[in-house]
Amino acid sequence: MNRETKKLLKQAFAFPAPENRSSFLETLRPRTITMTDFVLMQVAYIRKSVWVLMFLILGVAIVCAWRDSGNSERMIAAVIPFAAAAAVVETQRSSAYHMTELEAATRHSLRSIVFAKMLIMGIVFLGVFVIVTPIVAITLDASLIMTAAHILIPYLITMMICLNVERTKAGHSNMYLSIAIAAGVSVCVFLAGTQTVVLIKSLSESLFVAIAVLLLITTALECRKTINKVEAFV
């Protein structure tokens, strides 16, 4: 092939000069997502059954307070553990459906997803807690601090136990253990005798606050351990 032919072929198949190259490359870059945007995105992945459960807990609490019976406060405390179980179960969905490897390889790590879901479920429970506590305290003519402690302590105990179990091999592969733990705590709370209730109410508010704060700190540490260890199961 002579030079003239090569020259003609080169001219015939020459690439056009790039136009707006920088602008085009900018469009290929992934959109910056803030932590707030990421958490809001994860809200859509929370199952509808979890939202239904939270509304049911809220409804049960309001109905029990409205009835104003002797067992109302105990019944409300008995349904709260299931909110904690729902939060832990929601963080186990990746392992339950064998999606941990896929999610660990995505743009946002599995650790980030678990953290976001824990944060969402914590905010949802806080909303229910803030609504229910004053209603129960006012309706039953009880102390706001004691009512808050009675509702919060079963939730924190359930959450703490479920997170511990979730980090074990058996608990990580079976999300229904959290529901069983919540049921056990619920039964213990509900079956507490009248004498036990009287004994609890005789304790000082400061002691209840101390217990609740201690459990809150312990649960926060358990959440941190779970988030830090989550990718060890991948």
Side-chain angles (χ1 to χ4, degrees):
M1 186 180 295
N2 57 36
R3 285 185 180 179
E4 191 65 27
T5 305
K6 288 182 178 180
K7 185 178 180 181
L8 291 172
L9 288 173
K10 188 177 181 180
Q11 291 175 352
F13 293 99
F15 291 102
E19 295 180 3
N20 301 321
R21 181 173 178 271
S22 299
S23 301
F24 173 73
L25 292 176
E26 285 290 336
T27 61
L28 298 179
R29 293 182 182 178
R31 182 172 65 91
T32 302
I33 299 176
T34 64
M35 190 62 194
T36 303
D37 293 334
F38 176 66
V39 172
L40 291 175
M41 286 168 56
Q42 292 300 314
V43 172
Y45 294 98
I46 303 294
R47 285 177 292 187
K48 292 180 180 178
S49 57
V50 174
W51 301 115
V52 171
L53 175 63
M54 290 300 179
F55 280 112
L56 281 176
I57 291 173
L58 181 61
V60 168
I62 292 173
V63 170
C64 288
W66 176 71
R67 287 179 59 190
D68 194 14
S69 66
N71 294 324
S72 294
E73 197 170 343
R74 200 168 13 158
M75 290 176 65
I76 295 167
V79 299
I80 287 296
F82 291 100
V88 176
V89 168
E90 196 60 31
T91 63
Q92 290 180 279
R93 287 182 64 193
S94 298
S95 57
Y97 296 105
H98 308 290
M99 296 291 289
T100 49
E101 291 184 1
L102 179 61
E103 291 191 353
T106 56
R107 180 181 177 185
H108 297 283
S109 67
L110 181 60
R111 184 177 297 177
S112 300
I113 294 171
V114 171
F115 170 76
K117 288 185 176 181
M118 280 188 175
L119 182 62
I120 292 166
M121 297 307 299
I123 292 172
V124 171
F125 172 74
L126 181 62
V128 173
F129 177 74
V130 168
I131 293 171
V132 167
T133 303
I135 294 174
V136 175
I138 293 170
T139 307
L140 301 182
D141 194 21
S143 166
L144 182 64
I145 294 176
M146 293 293 281
T147 302
H150 289 160
I151 295 173
L152 190 60
I153 288 174
Y155 175 87
L156 293 175
I157 290 173
T158 307
M159 178 69 78
M160 187 172 57
I161 298 173
C162 287
L163 288 173
N164 267 289
V165 172
E166 196 269 342
R167 291 198 302 273
T168 65
K169 187 175 181 180
H172 194 74
S173 59
N174 187 358
M175 61 183 181
Y176 294 107
L177 279 178
S178 296
I179 298 174
I181 291 168
V185 174
S186 177
V187 169
C188 289
V189 171
F190 188 75
L191 293 182
T194 306
Q195 294 299 323
T196 305
V197 175
V198 172
L199 176 63
I200 290 173
K201 289 186 176 181
S202 68
L203 300 176
S204 64
E205 288 187 357
S206 58
L207 179 59
F208 258 96
V209 171
I211 294 171
V213 170
L214 180 62
L215 286 172
L216 185 61
I217 294 171
T218 306
T219 303
L221 292 174
E222 293 299 330
C223 289
R224 183 180 178 183
K225 289 179 185 178
T226 300
I227 291 169
N228 289 336
K229 195 175 180 180
V230 66
E231 291 180 351
F233 292 101
V234 178

